[in-house]
């Protein structure tokens, strides 16, 4: 390959990476809008929303995410990464705009279901683009970069939309999210290519070196792969782990409401303070992948277990502050610190074990395995969201919610450590 071709390929690889990064930030921006606007929406007498109803709206959104996770992989395989990515981003943006209309409870449930059904296709679509554009030995690096887009967008979206909420009514939050995502979509439409051939380049070449080891699923069809997964104890343990850690991550949906009601601050301040949780997650992703790769398989069990134990302690600290509230200024600062540490310690167990395990254990069917495990996690989150709003609406609701989350953190630590020990044992001698 000539020097000119190599330079063009590098330029296009960076463009494709940038398009995927910006596009996924757009998905998260639209999804974050409802979290930021939630305190103002519940306070709006014209909507008549209770916290139970808001929890159900979140739950229907997660139902859309579960459905999308189960279906979007096959759609991306058929239509291609570029078409599915742009289509999903368009539907997500349209749903964000529609949220600005003062509709009823059923209308918002439908919109959130539709938005997350479309957003679920973003990850499978990017997997097709990455497979088309990059060599196999660079998949991990590319995924590592893209995975930070979710948390970075969550931080920036919460801060930006929270500042807007302080100056404008809640429908402006959705209008702003939709408008910015339209601009992102226009850029992506102009520059994103489905594969190297669309840019006049040859396909990526496999890196020279030791041939890949045979995988049990190399010649297996989908039915045989599903049976293989069903018989694997590690798959079931990972499903339990991801169900627990997804619930712990989805606490972001109730955070602005919690901060507003327990600290007696404005909806805009609550939204801004909530940004420290995704900031902690972002910091964990920047350092966690490097640490995870350098720790032995045996060392992953105490590493992940210790982090989840700290997550449980963070929830216990929030519980204690609710029982014996400190002064408002001290409570605000303490909550910000606790939420940052909480995000820092829960994110690695949510993102890393499943991603690495699915590639190793799933082989050529890793996309199916990722979808199944992810769907299990979002199904658990859906149940939590439906029940969470109802729990909060009862006397002592926030304290009961934190007790539920502490129990979930303990279960997450137990299942994740058990999985890590089994995974280490299965690779003994390699």
């Amino acid at each position: 390959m000539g020097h000119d071709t190599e330079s063009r390929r590098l330029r296009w690889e960076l463009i494709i990476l940038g398009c995927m990064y910006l596009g996924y930030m757009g998905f998260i921006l639209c999804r974050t809008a409802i979290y930021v606007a939630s305190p103002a929406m519940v306070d709006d007498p014209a909507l008549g929303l209770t916290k139970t109803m808001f929890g159900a709206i979140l739950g229907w959104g997660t139902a859309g995410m579960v459905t999308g996770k189960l279906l979007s992989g096959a759609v991306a395989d058929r239509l291609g990464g570029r078409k599915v990515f742009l289509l999903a981003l368009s539907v997500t943006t349209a749903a964000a705009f529609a949220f600005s209309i003062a509709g009823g409870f059923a209308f918002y449930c439908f919109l959130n279901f539709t938005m997350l059904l479309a957003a679920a296709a973003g990850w499978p679509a990017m997997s097709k683009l990455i497979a088309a554009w990059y060599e196999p030995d660079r998949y991990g690096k590319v995924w590592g970069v893209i995975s930070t887009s979710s948390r970075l967008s969550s931080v920036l979206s919460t801060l930006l939309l929270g500042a807007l909420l302080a100056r404008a009514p809640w429908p402006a939050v959705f209008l702003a999210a939709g408008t910015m995502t339209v601009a992102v979509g226009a850029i992506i439409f102009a520059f994103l290519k489905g594969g190297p051939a669309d840019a006049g380049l040859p396909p990526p070449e496999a890196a020279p070196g030791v041939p890949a080891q045979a995988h049990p699923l190399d010649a297996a069809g989908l039915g045989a792969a599903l049976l293989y997964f069903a018989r694997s104890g590690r798959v079931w343990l990972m499903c339990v782990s991801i169900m627990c850690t997804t619930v712990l991550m989805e606490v972001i949906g109730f955070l602005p409401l919690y901060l507003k009601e327990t600290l007696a601050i404005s909806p805009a301040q609550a939204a801004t303070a909530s940004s420290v949780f995704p900031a902690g997650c972002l910091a964990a992703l920047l350092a966690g992948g490097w640490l995870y790769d350098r720790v032995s398989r045996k060392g992953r069990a105490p590493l992940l277990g210790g982090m989840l134990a700290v997550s449980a302690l963070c929830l216990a600290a929030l519980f204690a502050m609710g029982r014996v509230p400190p002064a408002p200024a001290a409570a605000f600062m303490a909550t910000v610190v606790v939420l940052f540490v909480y995000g820092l310690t829960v994110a690695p167990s949510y993102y890393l074990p499943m991603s690495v395990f699915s590639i190793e254990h799933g082989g050529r069917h890793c996309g199916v395995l990722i979808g199944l495990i992810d769907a299990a996690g979002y199904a658990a989150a859906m149940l939590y969201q439906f029940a969470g709003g109802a729990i909060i609406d009862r006397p002592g609701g926030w304290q009961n919610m934190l007790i539920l989350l502490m129990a979930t953190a303990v279960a997450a630590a137990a299942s994740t450590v058990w999985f890590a020990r089994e995974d280490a044992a299965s690779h003994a001698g390699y």
Side-chain angles (χ1 to χ4, degrees):
M1 186 184 298
H3 176 73
D4 181 60
T5 301
E6 289 181 356
S7 298
R8 289 181 59 231
R9 174 178 293 282
L10 176 60
R11 180 170 64 87
W12 272 107
E13 286 175 350
L14 292 174
I15 289 172
I16 300 305
L17 182 61
C19 286
M20 290 189 291
Y21 200 97
L22 285 175
Y24 206 72
M25 289 184 74
F27 283 116
I28 300 302
L29 174 64
C30 290
R31 289 177 57 186
T32 303
I34 190 171
Y35 303 147
V36 171
S38 61
M41 292 175 71
V42 172
D43 283 349
D44 189 343
L47 298 182
L49 294 178
T50 65
K51 289 184 282 293
T52 299
M53 295 167 74
F54 179 73
I57 292 171
L58 294 182
W60 276 108
T62 307
M65 180 65 75
V66 172
T67 306
K69 290 290 183 183
L70 294 174
L71 299 178
S72 58
V75 175
D77 284 340
R78 185 174 182 83
L79 299 181
R82 182 182 186 275
K83 289 181 180 178
V84 172
F85 194 74
L86 288 170
L87 178 61
L89 193 61
S90 299
V91 175
T92 302
T93 305
F97 276 125
F99 257 109
S100 65
I101 302 171
F105 168 65
F107 177 65
Y108 289 134
C109 289
F110 169 76
L111 282 182
N112 212 29
F113 179 92
T114 303
M115 178 187 287
L116 270 70
L117 174 71
W123 212 254
M126 288 192 295
S127 71
K128 298 292 291 183
L129 290 166
I130 291 171
W133 274 99
Y134 303 93
E135 297 87 353
D137 65 331
R138 297 168 64 198
Y139 290 168
K141 298 181 182 69
V142 176
W143 277 123
V145 172
I146 291 175
S147 65
T148 64
S149 65
S150 169
R151 295 302 98 192
L152 178 61
S153 180
S154 187
V155 173
L156 296 179
S157 300
T158 306
L159 290 172
L160 177 63
L161 297 179
L164 177 62
L165 186 63
R167 296 167 174 80
W170 64 263
V173 171
F174 294 101
L175 290 173
T179 301
M180 285 185 283
T181 308
V182 165
V184 168
I187 295 171
I188 295 172
F189 181 81
F191 291 101
L192 183 64
K193 304 293 184 183
D198 296 333
L201 293 168
E205 300 175 357
V210 181
Q213 294 183 348
H215 190 278
L217 298 179
D218 281 345
L222 179 59
L226 292 174
L227 184 61
Y228 179 79
F229 298 150
R231 290 174 173 171
S232 172
R234 283 181 292 158
V235 169
W236 290 103
L237 284 170
M238 179 46 59
C239 283
V240 174
S241 172
I242 206 68
M243 289 169 75
C244 294
T245 53
T246 303
V247 169
L248 296 177
M249 291 290 292
E250 288 300 313
V251 72
I252 184 66
F254 289 107
L255 264 183
L257 277 172
Y258 169 78
L259 294 175
K260 171 183 172 292
E261 295 192 358
T262 57
L263 301 182
I265 59 179
S266 70
Q269 287 176 313
T272 302
S274 298
S275 67
V276 297
F277 169 68
C281 295
L282 176 62
L285 284 173
L286 292 174
W290 177 86
L291 182 61
Y292 192 83
D293 284 342
R294 280 157 179 75
V295 173
S296 68
R297 288 186 183 270
K298 287 185 177 180
R300 289 174 183 173
L303 173 67
L304 297 172
M307 286 185 169
L308 287 169
V310 174
S311 300
L313 291 176
C314 290
L315 293 168
L318 292 175
F319 179 83
M321 285 191 289
R323 293 292 296 271
V324 185
F332 182 82
M333 290 305 300
T335 303
V336 165
V337 172
V338 168
L339 289 176
F340 180 84
V341 175
Y342 178 71
L344 188 71
T345 53
V346 76
S349 296
Y350 173 70
Y351 283 102
L352 299 177
M354 180 194 70
S355 301
V356 174
F357 170 70
S358 295
I359 294 172
E360 292 177 345
H361 196 68
R364 61 188 289 262
H365 295 283
C366 64
V368 174
L369 182 57
I370 288 174
L372 290 173
I373 296 174
D374 226 3
Y378 279 108
M382 178 179 65
L383 295 176
Y384 157 72
Q385 288 163 339
F386 274 114
I391 291 172
I392 295 166
D393 263 337
R394 297 174 187 143
W398 286 116
Q399 295 299 90
N400 292 332
M401 170 70 85
L402 288 169
I403 290 172
L404 173 63
L405 289 172
M406 283 188 284
T408 303
V410 172
S415 57
T416 304
V417 168
W418 190 358
F419 162 80
R421 290 175 64 88
E422 291 291 324
D423 192 57
S426 71
H427 288 82
Y430 284 88

